[in-house]
Amino acid sequence: MKKEFLNIGGKDCPVIRNAVKIGDWEEVKAIPVSTITKRDNDTDLLDGLIIKGYEMEWDKTNENYERYERTAFDKFLQEYYTDRGFNLPVDLEHDGSPEWLAGRIIYAEINSRGFYYVAYVPRSYAHYDIVLNLLKEGILQGFSKMGYATDWDWIYDQKTGEFLYEIIREFKLLRISLVTTPANGIPFERLQETKQNALVFKNTTLKDIQNANTPADEMAKMFN
C-alpha cells in the first residue's frame, strides 16, 4: 500500500484523499439557507447548486484500507472552522488553485451512521455552467475529502499478522472535492438543527435517534 505523507511539525502525517458517490444534487434559486440549517436567523438566499450526501460510514474499511473513529473530525472542524467562522472550501478534482475553488460546505453532521454534509456552489462561480453540465452528464460523480491524519495506527490480524486497515483517530480536513471517480455509493441521511456559524457542524453519534423521523420525511421538509 503506497502512502503519501506530509511533514507537519517534524512528524510525517499521511495525506488522505477519499471519494464516495454523490447522494443527491439540485439547482436552486432564492432558497433561504435556513431551509438547510433550520435556523430562522439565517437569511441569506442560495442561488446555485446544492449537493448533499454521506462522505463516509463508520466501522467500514474503505478502498484505501482506512477506518475512522467517530471523533476523528470533531476537534479540527469545531476549533478551526466553526469557532473561527471560516468556511470549508469545495474544489474540483482536488485542484485547490483559485480558479477551481467552486464553493463551500454549509452543513456538516457526524451522526450514528457516518459523516454527512451539504455543499453549495453559487451561480456566480466562474465555471458554474461547467460544474452543472458535468453533474447532469454524470461525469462529476462523487465527493472526496482532502486532509491529513495526525493520530493513527496500523491494525493487523493478531493471528496471521496480515495488515487489515489504518485506524485514524484525528484528522485535519482541508477541502472537499467534487470528483469523477468515486469509490463507494452511500445513501444520504437526515439533517438536524445545528450550531450557528460559517460552517454548520454537529456530532450526534451519542444521541438516541431511534425515535427520529425517517430520512425521507426530513429531506422532504428541507425545501417545503
Side-chain angles (χ1 to χ4, degrees):
M1 181 180 59
K2 186 177 181 181
K3 276 285 185 182
E4 179 184 355
F5 290 86
L6 180 67
N7 189 275
I8 304 294
K11 181 180 180 181
D12 287 334
C13 300
V15 175
I16 294 170
R17 297 179 176 89
N18 287 340
V20 297
K21 189 175 182 180
I22 290 172
D24 189 22
W25 70 270
E26 64 180 302
E27 193 173 19
V28 301
K29 190 173 183 65
I31 295 294
V33 69
S34 59
T35 61
I36 293 175
T37 63
K38 304 300 182 183
R39 298 184 313 222
D40 293 338
N41 59 338
D42 288 343
T43 57
D44 289 347
L45 299 180
L46 302 178
D47 182 15
L49 290 165
I50 298 295
I51 308 166
K52 48 190 178 289
Y54 272 91
E55 197 279 329
M56 57 177 291
E57 291 181 326
W58 309 121
D59 305 322
K60 293 184 178 180
T61 303
N62 64 27
E63 293 191 2
N64 293 326
Y65 295 95
E66 296 155 349
R67 289 191 184 188
Y68 293 79
E69 289 192 349
R70 300 189 180 198
T71 57
F73 300 90
D74 288 18
K75 186 175 180 3
F76 193 69
L77 280 174
Q78 184 67 47
E79 293 183 359
Y80 185 82
Y81 290 107
T82 61
D83 290 351
R84 299 182 184 184
F86 285 138
N87 289 310
L88 175 57
V90 173
D91 65 16
L92 301 182
E93 288 290 326
H94 290 296
D95 189 335
S97 61
E99 181 181 7
W100 298 111
L101 288 172
R104 66 184 187 272
I105 299 297
I106 56 177
Y107 184 96
E109 177 179 292
I110 292 173
N111 56 40
S112 62
R113 185 170 189 167
F115 186 14
Y116 178 93
Y117 55 84
V118 179
Y120 171 56
V121 178
R123 200 179 302 271
S124 59
Y125 173 52
H127 301 297
Y128 179 85
D129 288 337
I130 293 177
V131 176
L132 177 60
N133 183 65
L134 291 175
L135 286 169
K136 285 181 176 179
E137 296 299 323
I139 298 170
L140 279 177
Q141 302 177 89
F143 292 121
S144 181
K145 65 174 173 290
M146 163 58 178
Y148 57 93
T150 54
D151 186 1
W152 72 97
D153 276 313
W154 311 106
I155 304 301
Y156 298 87
D157 187 294
Q158 293 183 353
K159 294 182 178 179
T160 66
E162 177 187 4
F163 172 75
L164 298 177
Y165 55 86
E166 176 185 9
I167 183 68
I168 296 173
R169 298 189 174 93
E170 190 168 293
F171 187 84
K172 294 186 182 294
L173 181 62
L174 303 181
R175 293 193 305 274
I176 296 293
S177 292
L178 302 178
V179 297
T180 58
T181 52
N184 303 293
I186 300 176
F188 59 85
E189 177 66 282
R190 65 190 176 90
L191 297 181
Q192 295 193 12
E193 182 182 1
T194 59
K195 177 180 181 297
Q196 180 179 3
N197 222 314
L199 168 68
V200 175
F201 164 65
K202 191 170 187 177
N203 188 331
T204 67
T205 58
L206 300 180
K207 287 190 174 183
D208 181 5
I209 64 169
Q210 292 181 349
N211 297 322
N213 294 329
T214 65
D217 290 340
E218 290 297 321
M219 295 306 294
K221 294 176 183 176
M222 283 178 56
F223 296 101
N224 290 336

PDB file of all heavy atoms in Angstrom, residues 11-12 14 25 35 40 43 46 57 66-67 72 78 81 98 102 119 130 133 143-144 162 169 189-190 196 211 223-224:
ATOM      1  N   LYS A  11       6.728  15.737  12.033  1.00  0.00           N
ATOM      2  CA  LYS A  11       6.085  14.418  12.029  1.00  0.00           C
ATOM      3  C   LYS A  11       5.477  14.147  10.663  1.00  0.00           C
ATOM      4  O   LYS A  11       4.785  14.997  10.107  1.00  0.00           O
ATOM      5  CB  LYS A  11       4.995  14.363  13.106  1.00  0.00           C
ATOM      6  CG  LYS A  11       4.272  13.028  13.192  1.00  0.00           C
ATOM      7  CD  LYS A  11       3.205  13.074  14.293  1.00  0.00           C
ATOM      8  CE  LYS A  11       2.470  11.760  14.419  1.00  0.00           C
ATOM      9  NZ  LYS A  11       1.418  11.798  15.471  1.00  0.00           N
ATOM     10  N   ASP A  12       5.751  12.970  10.082  1.00  0.00           N
ATOM     11  CA  ASP A  12       5.189  12.595   8.794  1.00  0.00           C
ATOM     12  C   ASP A  12       3.755  12.119   8.980  1.00  0.00           C
ATOM     13  O   ASP A  12       3.497  11.070   9.576  1.00  0.00           O
ATOM     14  CB  ASP A  12       6.022  11.488   8.141  1.00  0.00           C
ATOM     15  CG  ASP A  12       7.357  12.007   7.624  1.00  0.00           C
ATOM     16  OD1 ASP A  12       7.428  13.213   7.318  1.00  0.00           O
ATOM     17  OD2 ASP A  12       8.309  11.225   7.527  1.00  0.00           O
ATOM     18  N   PRO A  14       0.057  11.009   7.236  1.00  0.00           N
ATOM     19  CA  PRO A  14      -0.464  10.508   5.959  1.00  0.00           C
ATOM     20  C   PRO A  14      -1.489  11.432   5.346  1.00  0.00           C
ATOM     21  O   PRO A  14      -2.432  11.872   6.005  1.00  0.00           O
ATOM     22  CB  PRO A  14      -1.079   9.159   6.334  1.00  0.00           C
ATOM     23  CG  PRO A  14      -1.296   9.213   7.800  1.00  0.00           C
ATOM     24  CD  PRO A  14      -0.266  10.137   8.364  1.00  0.00           C
ATOM     25  N   TRP A  25     -28.234  15.922  -5.731  1.00  0.00           N
ATOM     26  CA  TRP A  25     -27.909  17.317  -6.029  1.00  0.00           C
ATOM     27  C   TRP A  25     -29.101  17.959  -6.731  1.00  0.00           C
ATOM     28  O   TRP A  25     -29.919  17.277  -7.341  1.00  0.00           O
ATOM     29  CB  TRP A  25     -26.651  17.435  -6.887  1.00  0.00           C
ATOM     30  CG  TRP A  25     -26.815  16.964  -8.310  1.00  0.00           C
ATOM     31  CD1 TRP A  25     -26.609  15.696  -8.773  1.00  0.00           C
ATOM     32  CD2 TRP A  25     -27.220  17.737  -9.433  1.00  0.00           C
ATOM     33  NE1 TRP A  25     -26.867  15.626 -10.118  1.00  0.00           N
ATOM     34  CE2 TRP A  25     -27.233  16.867 -10.554  1.00  0.00           C
ATOM     35  CE3 TRP A  25     -27.556  19.070  -9.623  1.00  0.00           C
ATOM     36  CZ2 TRP A  25     -27.589  17.298 -11.837  1.00  0.00           C
ATOM     37  CZ3 TRP A  25     -27.915  19.510 -10.907  1.00  0.00           C
ATOM     38  CH2 TRP A  25     -27.913  18.628 -11.989  1.00  0.00           C
ATOM     39  N   THR A  35     -33.512  26.824   5.194  1.00  0.00           N
ATOM     40  CA  THR A  35     -34.182  25.570   4.858  1.00  0.00           C
ATOM     41  C   THR A  35     -33.262  24.382   5.069  1.00  0.00           C
ATOM     42  O   THR A  35     -33.722  23.250   5.192  1.00  0.00           O
ATOM     43  CB  THR A  35     -34.663  25.573   3.395  1.00  0.00           C
ATOM     44  OG1 THR A  35     -33.544  25.722   2.521  1.00  0.00           O
ATOM     45  CG2 THR A  35     -35.662  26.683   3.155  1.00  0.00           C
ATOM     46  N   ASP A  40     -33.784  30.258  11.966  1.00  0.00           N
ATOM     47  CA  ASP A  40     -34.585  31.361  11.432  1.00  0.00           C
ATOM     48  C   ASP A  40     -33.747  32.584  11.097  1.00  0.00           C
ATOM     49  O   ASP A  40     -34.110  33.363  10.214  1.00  0.00           O
ATOM     50  CB  ASP A  40     -35.689  31.741  12.418  1.00  0.00           C
ATOM     51  CG  ASP A  40     -36.723  30.642  12.573  1.00  0.00           C
ATOM     52  OD1 ASP A  40     -36.843  29.801  11.658  1.00  0.00           O
ATOM     53  OD2 ASP A  40     -37.398  30.620  13.623  1.00  0.00           O
ATOM     54  N   THR A  43     -30.645  34.247   6.923  1.00  0.00           N
ATOM     55  CA  THR A  43     -31.495  34.889   5.918  1.00  0.00           C
ATOM     56  C   THR A  43     -30.892  34.913   4.524  1.00  0.00           C
ATOM     57  O   THR A  43     -31.553  35.330   3.574  1.00  0.00           O
ATOM     58  CB  THR A  43     -31.818  36.330   6.344  1.00  0.00           C
ATOM     59  OG1 THR A  43     -30.583  37.047   6.529  1.00  0.00           O
ATOM     60  CG2 THR A  43     -32.607  36.336   7.644  1.00  0.00           C
ATOM     61  N   LEU A  46     -29.816  31.156  -1.212  1.00  0.00           N
ATOM     62  CA  LEU A  46     -28.949  30.295  -2.009  1.00  0.00           C
ATOM     63  C   LEU A  46     -29.395  30.338  -3.464  1.00  0.00           C
ATOM     64  O   LEU A  46     -30.567  30.172  -3.777  1.00  0.00           O
ATOM     65  CB  LEU A  46     -29.000  28.859  -1.494  1.00  0.00           C
ATOM     66  CG  LEU A  46     -28.603  28.651  -0.034  1.00  0.00           C
ATOM     67  CD1 LEU A  46     -28.762  27.184   0.348  1.00  0.00           C
ATOM     68  CD2 LEU A  46     -27.172  29.117   0.208  1.00  0.00           C
ATOM     69  N   GLU A  57     -19.080   6.147   6.031  1.00  0.00           N
ATOM     70  CA  GLU A  57     -19.815   5.470   7.084  1.00  0.00           C
ATOM     71  C   GLU A  57     -18.825   4.850   8.058  1.00  0.00           C
ATOM     72  O   GLU A  57     -17.705   4.505   7.689  1.00  0.00           O
ATOM     73  CB  GLU A  57     -20.732   4.386   6.507  1.00  0.00           C
ATOM     74  CG  GLU A  57     -21.887   4.950   5.715  1.00  0.00           C
ATOM     75  CD  GLU A  57     -22.797   3.868   5.164  1.00  0.00           C
ATOM     76  OE1 GLU A  57     -22.284   2.775   4.824  1.00  0.00           O
ATOM     77  OE2 GLU A  57     -24.004   4.117   5.064  1.00  0.00           O
ATOM     78  N   GLU A  66      -8.673   2.253   5.165  1.00  0.00           N
ATOM     79  CA  GLU A  66      -8.739   3.183   6.289  1.00  0.00           C
ATOM     80  C   GLU A  66     -10.088   3.077   6.993  1.00  0.00           C
ATOM     81  O   GLU A  66     -11.114   2.835   6.351  1.00  0.00           O
ATOM     82  CB  GLU A  66      -8.556   4.628   5.800  1.00  0.00           C
ATOM     83  CG  GLU A  66      -7.198   4.898   5.182  1.00  0.00           C
ATOM     84  CD  GLU A  66      -7.235   6.048   4.207  1.00  0.00           C
ATOM     85  OE1 GLU A  66      -8.345   6.506   3.854  1.00  0.00           O
ATOM     86  OE2 GLU A  66      -6.156   6.483   3.777  1.00  0.00           O
ATOM     87  N   ARG A  67     -10.050   3.281   8.297  1.00  0.00           N
ATOM     88  CA  ARG A  67     -11.246   3.451   9.100  1.00  0.00           C
ATOM     89  C   ARG A  67     -11.047   4.682   9.985  1.00  0.00           C
ATOM     90  O   ARG A  67      -9.911   5.046  10.280  1.00  0.00           O
ATOM     91  CB  ARG A  67     -11.519   2.230   9.981  1.00  0.00           C
ATOM     92  CG  ARG A  67     -11.987   0.997   9.233  1.00  0.00           C
ATOM     93  CD  ARG A  67     -12.475  -0.054  10.219  1.00  0.00           C
ATOM     94  NE  ARG A  67     -12.853  -1.283   9.574  1.00  0.00           N
ATOM     95  CZ  ARG A  67     -13.460  -2.300  10.181  1.00  0.00           C
ATOM     96  NH1 ARG A  67     -13.740  -2.210  11.481  1.00  0.00           N
ATOM     97  NH2 ARG A  67     -13.776  -3.396   9.525  1.00  0.00           N
ATOM     98  N   ALA A  72     -12.906  11.620  15.076  1.00  0.00           N
ATOM     99  CA  ALA A  72     -11.680  11.984  14.356  1.00  0.00           C
ATOM    100  C   ALA A  72     -11.731  13.393  13.773  1.00  0.00           C
ATOM    101  O   ALA A  72     -10.706  14.064  13.667  1.00  0.00           O
ATOM    102  CB  ALA A  72     -11.404  10.965  13.245  1.00  0.00           C
ATOM    103  N   GLN A  78     -14.541  21.838  14.651  1.00  0.00           N
ATOM    104  CA  GLN A  78     -15.097  22.769  15.627  1.00  0.00           C
ATOM    105  C   GLN A  78     -14.162  23.946  15.883  1.00  0.00           C
ATOM    106  O   GLN A  78     -14.565  25.109  15.785  1.00  0.00           O
ATOM    107  CB  GLN A  78     -15.390  22.044  16.939  1.00  0.00           C
ATOM    108  CG  GLN A  78     -16.063  22.916  17.989  1.00  0.00           C
ATOM    109  CD  GLN A  78     -17.459  23.327  17.580  1.00  0.00           C
ATOM    110  OE1 GLN A  78     -18.243  22.503  17.137  1.00  0.00           O
ATOM    111  NE2 GLN A  78     -17.776  24.605  17.737  1.00  0.00           N
ATOM    112  N   TYR A  81     -12.930  25.692  12.026  1.00  0.00           N
ATOM    113  CA  TYR A  81     -13.955  26.237  11.141  1.00  0.00           C
ATOM    114  C   TYR A  81     -15.084  26.942  11.894  1.00  0.00           C
ATOM    115  O   TYR A  81     -15.325  28.138  11.679  1.00  0.00           O
ATOM    116  CB  TYR A  81     -14.520  25.130  10.250  1.00  0.00           C
ATOM    117  CG  TYR A  81     -13.528  24.647   9.214  1.00  0.00           C
ATOM    118  CD1 TYR A  81     -12.913  23.419   9.347  1.00  0.00           C
ATOM    119  CD2 TYR A  81     -13.198  25.433   8.117  1.00  0.00           C
ATOM    120  CE1 TYR A  81     -11.994  22.966   8.409  1.00  0.00           C
ATOM    121  CE2 TYR A  81     -12.276  25.005   7.173  1.00  0.00           C
ATOM    122  CZ  TYR A  81     -11.678  23.769   7.325  1.00  0.00           C
ATOM    123  OH  TYR A  81     -10.758  23.337   6.403  1.00  0.00           O
ATOM    124  N   PRO A  98      -7.104  28.938  -7.087  1.00  0.00           N
ATOM    125  CA  PRO A  98      -8.274  29.818  -7.027  1.00  0.00           C
ATOM    126  C   PRO A  98      -9.287  29.575  -8.139  1.00  0.00           C
ATOM    127  O   PRO A  98     -10.498  29.681  -7.909  1.00  0.00           O
ATOM    128  CB  PRO A  98      -7.649  31.219  -7.135  1.00  0.00           C
ATOM    129  CG  PRO A  98      -6.282  31.060  -6.569  1.00  0.00           C
ATOM    130  CD  PRO A  98      -5.836  29.678  -6.981  1.00  0.00           C
ATOM    131  N   ALA A 102     -14.697  26.076  -6.084  1.00  0.00           N
ATOM    132  CA  ALA A 102     -16.038  26.246  -6.632  1.00  0.00           C
ATOM    133  C   ALA A 102     -17.081  26.690  -5.615  1.00  0.00           C
ATOM    134  O   ALA A 102     -18.091  27.307  -5.981  1.00  0.00           O
ATOM    135  CB  ALA A 102     -16.499  24.941  -7.284  1.00  0.00           C
ATOM    136  N   ALA A 119     -22.974  20.599   0.291  1.00  0.00           N
ATOM    137  CA  ALA A 119     -22.086  21.546  -0.387  1.00  0.00           C
ATOM    138  C   ALA A 119     -22.920  22.545  -1.194  1.00  0.00           C
ATOM    139  O   ALA A 119     -24.004  22.212  -1.694  1.00  0.00           O
ATOM    140  CB  ALA A 119     -21.136  20.803  -1.315  1.00  0.00           C
ATOM    141  N   ILE A 130     -19.955  24.750 -16.235  1.00  0.00           N
ATOM    142  CA  ILE A 130     -19.169  23.521 -16.422  1.00  0.00           C
ATOM    143  C   ILE A 130     -19.535  22.504 -15.342  1.00  0.00           C
ATOM    144  O   ILE A 130     -19.775  21.328 -15.630  1.00  0.00           O
ATOM    145  CB  ILE A 130     -17.660  23.831 -16.391  1.00  0.00           C
ATOM    146  CG1 ILE A 130     -17.262  24.671 -17.611  1.00  0.00           C
ATOM    147  CG2 ILE A 130     -16.844  22.547 -16.329  1.00  0.00           C
ATOM    148  CD1 ILE A 130     -15.805  25.086 -17.625  1.00  0.00           C
ATOM    149  N   ASN A 133     -23.095  21.134 -15.967  1.00  0.00           N
ATOM    150  CA  ASN A 133     -23.135  20.179 -17.070  1.00  0.00           C
ATOM    151  C   ASN A 133     -22.491  18.846 -16.691  1.00  0.00           C
ATOM    152  O   ASN A 133     -23.018  17.772 -17.036  1.00  0.00           O
ATOM    153  CB  ASN A 133     -22.414  20.761 -18.288  1.00  0.00           C
ATOM    154  CG  ASN A 133     -22.490  19.843 -19.489  1.00  0.00           C
ATOM    155  OD1 ASN A 133     -23.565  19.587 -20.021  1.00  0.00           O
ATOM    156  ND2 ASN A 133     -21.352  19.313 -19.901  1.00  0.00           N
ATOM    157  N   PHE A 143     -18.051  12.782  -4.008  1.00  0.00           N
ATOM    158  CA  PHE A 143     -17.351  13.613  -3.042  1.00  0.00           C
ATOM    159  C   PHE A 143     -16.006  12.980  -2.711  1.00  0.00           C
ATOM    160  O   PHE A 143     -15.865  11.754  -2.700  1.00  0.00           O
ATOM    161  CB  PHE A 143     -18.135  13.700  -1.735  1.00  0.00           C
ATOM    162  CG  PHE A 143     -19.421  14.461  -1.826  1.00  0.00           C
ATOM    163  CD1 PHE A 143     -20.622  13.839  -1.508  1.00  0.00           C
ATOM    164  CD2 PHE A 143     -19.431  15.787  -2.201  1.00  0.00           C
ATOM    165  CE1 PHE A 143     -21.810  14.541  -1.550  1.00  0.00           C
ATOM    166  CE2 PHE A 143     -20.612  16.493  -2.253  1.00  0.00           C
ATOM    167  CZ  PHE A 143     -21.814  15.864  -1.927  1.00  0.00           C
ATOM    168  N   SER A 144     -15.044  13.800  -2.383  1.00  0.00           N
ATOM    169  CA  SER A 144     -13.753  13.312  -1.919  1.00  0.00           C
ATOM    170  C   SER A 144     -13.196  14.302  -0.912  1.00  0.00           C
ATOM    171  O   SER A 144     -13.301  15.507  -1.114  1.00  0.00           O
ATOM    172  CB  SER A 144     -12.784  13.162  -3.096  1.00  0.00           C
ATOM    173  OG  SER A 144     -11.536  12.676  -2.667  1.00  0.00           O
ATOM    174  N   GLU A 162      -1.467 -10.312   9.145  1.00  0.00           N
ATOM    175  CA  GLU A 162      -1.883  -9.623   7.917  1.00  0.00           C
ATOM    176  C   GLU A 162      -2.379  -8.213   8.238  1.00  0.00           C
ATOM    177  O   GLU A 162      -3.114  -7.994   9.207  1.00  0.00           O
ATOM    178  CB  GLU A 162      -2.990 -10.416   7.231  1.00  0.00           C
ATOM    179  CG  GLU A 162      -3.546  -9.749   5.986  1.00  0.00           C
ATOM    180  CD  GLU A 162      -4.757 -10.481   5.435  1.00  0.00           C
ATOM    181  OE1 GLU A 162      -5.198 -11.464   6.073  1.00  0.00           O
ATOM    182  OE2 GLU A 162      -5.262 -10.059   4.383  1.00  0.00           O
ATOM    183  N   ARG A 169      -7.518   8.362  14.207  1.00  0.00           N
ATOM    184  CA  ARG A 169      -8.137   8.896  15.428  1.00  0.00           C
ATOM    185  C   ARG A 169      -8.314  10.412  15.387  1.00  0.00           C
ATOM    186  O   ARG A 169      -9.162  10.953  16.081  1.00  0.00           O
ATOM    187  CB  ARG A 169      -7.301   8.497  16.647  1.00  0.00           C
ATOM    188  CG  ARG A 169      -7.219   6.989  16.852  1.00  0.00           C
ATOM    189  CD  ARG A 169      -6.574   6.647  18.189  1.00  0.00           C
ATOM    190  NE  ARG A 169      -6.640   5.213  18.426  1.00  0.00           N
ATOM    191  CZ  ARG A 169      -5.667   4.372  18.095  1.00  0.00           C
ATOM    192  NH1 ARG A 169      -4.563   4.835  17.528  1.00  0.00           N
ATOM    193  NH2 ARG A 169      -5.794   3.077  18.322  1.00  0.00           N
ATOM    194  N   GLU A 189     -28.497  10.998   4.412  1.00  0.00           N
ATOM    195  CA  GLU A 189     -29.176  10.855   5.698  1.00  0.00           C
ATOM    196  C   GLU A 189     -29.927  12.138   6.020  1.00  0.00           C
ATOM    197  O   GLU A 189     -29.835  13.135   5.323  1.00  0.00           O
ATOM    198  CB  GLU A 189     -28.112  10.528   6.768  1.00  0.00           C
ATOM    199  CG  GLU A 189     -28.557  10.413   8.184  1.00  0.00           C
ATOM    200  CD  GLU A 189     -29.482   9.226   8.445  1.00  0.00           C
ATOM    201  OE1 GLU A 189     -30.673   9.350   8.098  1.00  0.00           O
ATOM    202  OE2 GLU A 189     -29.029   8.226   9.000  1.00  0.00           O
ATOM    203  N   ARG A 190     -30.684  12.098   7.108  1.00  0.00           N
ATOM    204  CA  ARG A 190     -31.469  13.240   7.531  1.00  0.00           C
ATOM    205  C   ARG A 190     -30.586  14.367   8.049  1.00  0.00           C
ATOM    206  O   ARG A 190     -29.441  14.151   8.417  1.00  0.00           O
ATOM    207  CB  ARG A 190     -32.437  12.814   8.646  1.00  0.00           C
ATOM    208  CG  ARG A 190     -31.721  12.379   9.911  1.00  0.00           C
ATOM    209  CD  ARG A 190     -32.707  11.748  10.888  1.00  0.00           C
ATOM    210  NE  ARG A 190     -31.983  11.242  12.050  1.00  0.00           N
ATOM    211  CZ  ARG A 190     -31.756  11.966  13.131  1.00  0.00           C
ATOM    212  NH1 ARG A 190     -32.163  13.205  13.198  1.00  0.00           N
ATOM    213  NH2 ARG A 190     -31.105  11.446  14.142  1.00  0.00           N
ATOM    214  N   GLN A 196     -24.830  27.766  15.093  1.00  0.00           N
ATOM    215  CA  GLN A 196     -24.654  28.808  14.106  1.00  0.00           C
ATOM    216  C   GLN A 196     -23.186  29.137  13.885  1.00  0.00           C
ATOM    217  O   GLN A 196     -22.407  29.224  14.799  1.00  0.00           O
ATOM    218  CB  GLN A 196     -25.381  30.084  14.539  1.00  0.00           C
ATOM    219  CG  GLN A 196     -25.232  31.227  13.544  1.00  0.00           C
ATOM    220  CD  GLN A 196     -25.986  32.453  13.998  1.00  0.00           C
ATOM    221  OE1 GLN A 196     -26.563  32.457  15.069  1.00  0.00           O
ATOM    222  NE2 GLN A 196     -25.976  33.494  13.200  1.00  0.00           N
ATOM    223  N   ASN A 211     -36.137   7.216  17.713  1.00  0.00           N
ATOM    224  CA  ASN A 211     -37.462   7.784  17.503  1.00  0.00           C
ATOM    225  C   ASN A 211     -37.461   8.932  16.505  1.00  0.00           C
ATOM    226  O   ASN A 211     -38.439   9.666  16.391  1.00  0.00           O
ATOM    227  CB  ASN A 211     -38.035   8.271  18.840  1.00  0.00           C
ATOM    228  CG  ASN A 211     -38.237   7.130  19.815  1.00  0.00           C
ATOM    229  OD1 ASN A 211     -38.639   6.034  19.415  1.00  0.00           O
ATOM    230  ND2 ASN A 211     -37.942   7.384  21.079  1.00  0.00           N
ATOM    231  N   PHE A 223     -37.134  21.553   1.677  1.00  0.00           N
ATOM    232  CA  PHE A 223     -37.453  22.533   0.644  1.00  0.00           C
ATOM    233  C   PHE A 223     -38.942  22.808   0.559  1.00  0.00           C
ATOM    234  O   PHE A 223     -39.462  23.185  -0.480  1.00  0.00           O
ATOM    235  CB  PHE A 223     -36.894  22.044  -0.703  1.00  0.00           C
ATOM    236  CG  PHE A 223     -35.414  21.946  -0.710  1.00  0.00           C
ATOM    237  CD1 PHE A 223     -34.778  20.721  -0.557  1.00  0.00           C
ATOM    238  CD2 PHE A 223     -34.620  23.073  -0.812  1.00  0.00           C
ATOM    239  CE1 PHE A 223     -33.403  20.621  -0.532  1.00  0.00           C
ATOM    240  CE2 PHE A 223     -33.237  22.997  -0.778  1.00  0.00           C
ATOM    241  CZ  PHE A 223     -32.630  21.764  -0.635  1.00  0.00           C
ATOM    242  N   ASN A 224     -39.627  22.597   1.672  1.00  0.00           N
ATOM    243  CA  ASN A 224     -41.044  22.935   1.768  1.00  0.00           C
ATOM    244  C   ASN A 224     -41.227  24.244   2.519  1.00  0.00           C
ATOM    245  O   ASN A 224     -40.404  24.601   3.325  1.00  0.00           O
ATOM    246  CB  ASN A 224     -41.820  21.829   2.477  1.00  0.00           C
ATOM    247  CG  ASN A 224     -41.924  20.587   1.623  1.00  0.00           C
ATOM    248  OD1 ASN A 224     -41.819  20.676   0.394  1.00  0.00           O
ATOM    249  ND2 ASN A 224     -42.121  19.446   2.260  1.00  0.00           N
TER     250      ASN A 224
END
